[in-house]
Amino acid sequence: MNKISKVLAFCAILSVFGGCTKNFEKYNTDPYAIQSSDPSILIPTMMDALMYVQQNDSQMIDQMVGSLGGYFTLSNRWGGQNFDTFNASDGWNNVPYETMFLDIYANYFEIEKFTGGSGHYYAMARLLRAAAMMRVADMYGPIPYSHVTDGQMYVAYDKNEDVYKSIIEDLKNASSVLAGYAAAYPDKKPLAAQDAIYAGDYAKWAKLANSYIMRAAIRSNDAEAFKSAYESPYGFIADNADNALMSPGAQPNPYQLASASWGDLRSGSSIVDYMNGYKDPRRSSYFTISSKGGYLGMRSGKGAFEKTAVSGYSMCAFSATDKLPVFVAAESQFLLAEAALKGWISGDPGQFYNKGIDLSMDQWKVGNSTMADGSSSRTAYIEDDSSVPASYENDPIARFPNYIRNTKVTIAWSDGATTEQKLEKIITQKWIANYPMGIEAWAEYRRTGYPELAPVIDNLSEGVITNPARGLRRLRYSYKEHTLNKDNYADAVKMLGGKDDESVDLFWAKK
């Protein structure tokens, strides 16, 4: 894995932000770089933070941290300090925080100055800041948000709850402005050439903003915000044609690269076991066939092994040109199902649930006939009331320990099931449909306790994580915050209950 040059750049930026900024431009301007505050140049870097396609950023953030969501297993040990054994080094632990702050704020305030804090470019910047910082908050907890200003990064943290409130307000504003621009100027797409998700279609960005609000509202238990987004005249992502998919552009798909070229990533045992048990027809789109035949995932969190010894497990089935999901229509339906289950909106949770599965099948081009590998047809899958997730038994490759799964969650919706059983169905199917968005999967696992992920094999946290089955609950803060933002960091730790470690539950987590 290559070094992350942007983290070094970020350190340099923050060292200047910490003191006098009068000579910032004088000492920090590259005379050979293009000097521009043009938002169309700055916004694409902000978009990256929604789902990284740059290979190193993807590996360090969406793959390594995202592996905690159960989709992938890290098949390299990199010296023995890893997220999946609960002992990541300080340097690796810093990367998501610093990289995402750099990608957002190095550009956000330039756009704010360029636009005077208004208009469609600024609305895009606010949307991207909100969406990216929700990912940071979901990893770390309280973060600086409302107090961050141009040149001032080491500032007071907001409570995790307040970060969510601010994010929702920023997304509401962005949706309104972008939808208004799209309606007034239907033929104009200022970011068409630079937008790797929607090719400059602001109407779709407005829908994405509302979809993010629905996600944030479910997580923060904000019924009013959810209903407002659901009923917004600007819409939400309800059809696959509106899916937010990030093009890798000239780069190879980073999951394909890390799996097939580097050998650093394998399909996770939990997602493969669930989908094997269900005879899920999406398996051939998600996984390659293992060296032993069939789909075989690798258990997470083994402290030491040789990379060559685990090369035979299934890998992700992405091609080099495949786009990566940022938000898909299936998730919207599962969010609606949960909102209806809570009584926030009217409607049948089961109908939303079934539509979510159906949309995911459409997204992955699954037909209604039994697959050659024995996978169910679409209709048979939705109506299956007997299949349950498989256990991990008799591993034929690395002989990792068995894991006998306790859950008996089936697929078919049952009006007679308990509320908790219905919630498990919703989250399980949302988890399968949201592949490979690992950070989102990890957040939902911590919020609900679903799906049932196989615990890590070796817990190397030295007593920090006392229940490996619950997994890592958050990431600890960047070590630079301890010294460069000392007083505000101390206040943030108080918000967490007095500890800055990986055992602390965030406010929305299932205790």
Side-chain angles (χ1 to χ4, degrees):
M1 182 176 56
N2 299 325
K3 293 181 179 179
I4 311 274
S5 59
K6 284 197 290 187
V7 174
L8 299 178
F10 186 67
C11 296
I13 289 172
L14 291 188
S15 67
V16 176
F17 283 170
C20 177
T21 60
K22 179 175 62 176
N23 295 317
F24 179 79
E25 292 184 358
K26 176 179 177 181
Y27 295 118
N28 292 275
T29 299
D30 178 356
Y32 302 103
I34 298 173
Q35 302 305 317
S36 175
S37 296
D38 183 350
S40 67
I41 295 175
L42 301 175
I43 283 174
T45 297
M46 297 181 72
M47 285 184 191
D48 288 349
L50 304 187
M51 169 60 94
Y52 282 104
V53 295
Q54 197 281 333
Q55 58 194 35
N56 294 320
D57 291 342
S58 174
Q59 185 174 49
M60 291 297 297
I61 301 171
D62 284 295
Q63 294 173 36
M64 286 188 170
V65 180
S67 70
L68 299 170
Y71 294 143
F72 298 102
T73 297
L74 305 174
S75 50
N76 196 344
R77 292 297 79 190
W78 298 289
Q81 291 185 299
N82 299 288
F83 291 103
D84 64 355
T85 46
F86 307 158
N87 66 332
S89 68
D90 282 342
W92 283 17
N93 188 77
N94 294 342
V95 169
Y97 191 95
E98 296 188 344
T99 301
M100 297 179 80
F101 264 75
L102 169 63
D103 286 344
I104 294 301
Y105 286 113
N107 301 289
Y108 178 81
F109 291 115
E110 287 299 311
I111 295 169
E112 185 177 59
K113 285 187 288 186
F114 184 89
T115 62
S118 65
H120 61 94
Y121 282 136
Y122 185 58
M124 277 293 299
R126 288 183 74 176
L127 188 163
L128 296 170
R129 176 204 191 198
M133 288 300 117
M134 183 160 66
R135 296 203 327 144
V136 177
D138 287 346
M139 287 185 272
Y140 293 91
I143 59 170
Y145 193 86
S146 64
H147 301 286
V148 177
T149 59
D150 189 12
Q152 295 296 324
M153 303 292 284
Y154 291 125
V155 296
Y157 291 60
D158 292 7
K159 291 181 180 178
N160 211 183
E161 300 93 320
D162 293 337
V163 173
Y164 264 82
K165 291 175 183 177
S166 296
I167 283 170
I168 287 170
E169 285 305 309
D170 281 345
L171 291 168
K172 284 181 181 178
N173 177 274
S175 181
S176 175
V177 172
L178 295 173
Y181 185 96
Y185 307 102
D187 297 327
K188 290 188 176 181
K189 292 182 172 56
L191 292 171
Q194 294 83 17
D195 180 355
I197 297 177
Y198 284 135
D201 189 334
Y202 280 168
K204 290 186 177 182
W205 277 104
K207 291 180 181 180
L208 178 59
N210 279 327
S211 300
Y212 273 131
I213 291 172
M214 290 163 59
R215 179 189 281 181
I218 283 286
R219 190 160 299 144
S220 59
N221 203 33
D222 189 335
E224 182 180 351
F226 188 97
K227 189 173 182 180
S228 176
Y230 173 51
E231 296 175 346
S232 169
Y234 314 130
F236 57 90
I237 297 175
D239 301 301
N240 284 324
D242 293 334
N243 285 350
L245 305 174
M246 180 81 77
S247 171
Q251 308 172 81
N253 178 294
Y255 291 87
Q256 187 270 343
L257 182 68
S259 297
S261 296
W262 297 346
D264 289 347
L265 202 64
R266 292 292 178 266
S267 298
S269 67
S270 290
I271 182 99
V272 176
D273 289 346
Y274 265 77
M275 295 178 75
N276 278 342
Y278 290 151
K279 302 179 184 64
D280 196 301
R282 291 165 289 188
R283 286 179 296 173
S284 61
S285 297
Y286 284 21
F287 319 122
T288 64
I289 299 296
S290 75
S291 65
K292 300 297 183 180
Y295 306 106
L296 178 62
M298 176 180 168
R299 275 198 66 181
S300 292
K302 180 66 176 173
F305 55 81
E306 294 297 323
K307 185 194 289 193
T308 54
V310 298
S311 62
Y313 293 99
S314 293
M315 300 182 292
C316 67
F318 290 124
S319 73
T321 58
D322 281 344
K323 296 180 179 181
L324 289 173
V326 172
F327 201 107
V328 296
E331 180 181 350
S332 295
Q333 296 302 315
F334 293 121
L335 291 170
L336 295 176
E338 186 173 351
L341 189 66
K342 291 174 178 286
W344 292 0
I345 62 172
S346 60
D348 181 356
Q351 290 185 1
F352 291 128
Y353 170 84
N354 286 336
K355 187 173 182 181
I357 297 175
D358 212 42
L359 282 168
S360 183
M361 296 293 181
D362 277 340
Q363 179 189 342
W364 295 98
K365 298 179 173 57
V366 172
N368 208 11
S369 58
T370 302
M371 310 286 282
D373 63 359
S375 296
S376 301
S377 69
R378 180 192 300 209
T379 300
Y381 182 90
I382 293 174
E383 296 177 351
D384 188 344
D385 63 357
S386 60
S387 296
V388 297
S391 292
Y392 188 87
E393 299 180 272
N394 304 316
D395 177 356
I397 295 180
R399 311 296 179 186
F400 288 151
N402 291 347
Y403 177 69
I404 307 304
R405 199 159 260 105
N406 296 304
T407 183
K408 302 301 180 186
V409 62
T410 56
I411 302 164
W413 187 261
S414 171
D415 289 329
T418 67
T419 298
E420 192 64 23
Q421 287 169 336
K422 291 174 181 177
L423 178 63
E424 183 177 5
K425 287 179 183 286
I426 292 168
I427 300 303
T428 297
Q429 290 301 322
K430 180 168 71 168
W431 174 64
I432 294 172
N434 265 352
Y435 177 86
M437 293 183 275
I439 291 174
E440 178 60 21
W442 180 40
E444 286 296 271
Y445 172 69
R446 288 174 288 154
R447 181 178 73 88
T448 66
Y450 304 123
E452 182 188 335
L453 303 180
V456 303
I457 297 171
D458 295 321
N459 173 6
L460 304 183
S461 68
E462 297 184 346
V464 172
I465 302 298
T466 57
N467 184 353
R470 296 186 78 231
L472 228 62
R473 310 307 290 172
R474 61 180 288 273
L475 304 185
R476 63 188 183 276
Y477 288 120
S478 165
Y479 64 91
K480 296 184 180 69
E481 292 289 300
H482 302 190
T483 53
L484 299 178
N485 199 17
K486 184 177 180 180
D487 291 340
N488 292 319
Y489 164 76
D491 289 339
V493 174
K494 290 178 184 177
M495 295 176 193
L496 290 168
K499 287 195 303 183
D500 175 22
D501 67 30
E502 295 89 342
S503 71
V504 180
D505 281 310
L506 302 186
F507 81 98
W508 41 253
K510 183 175 182 178
K511 305 299 189 289

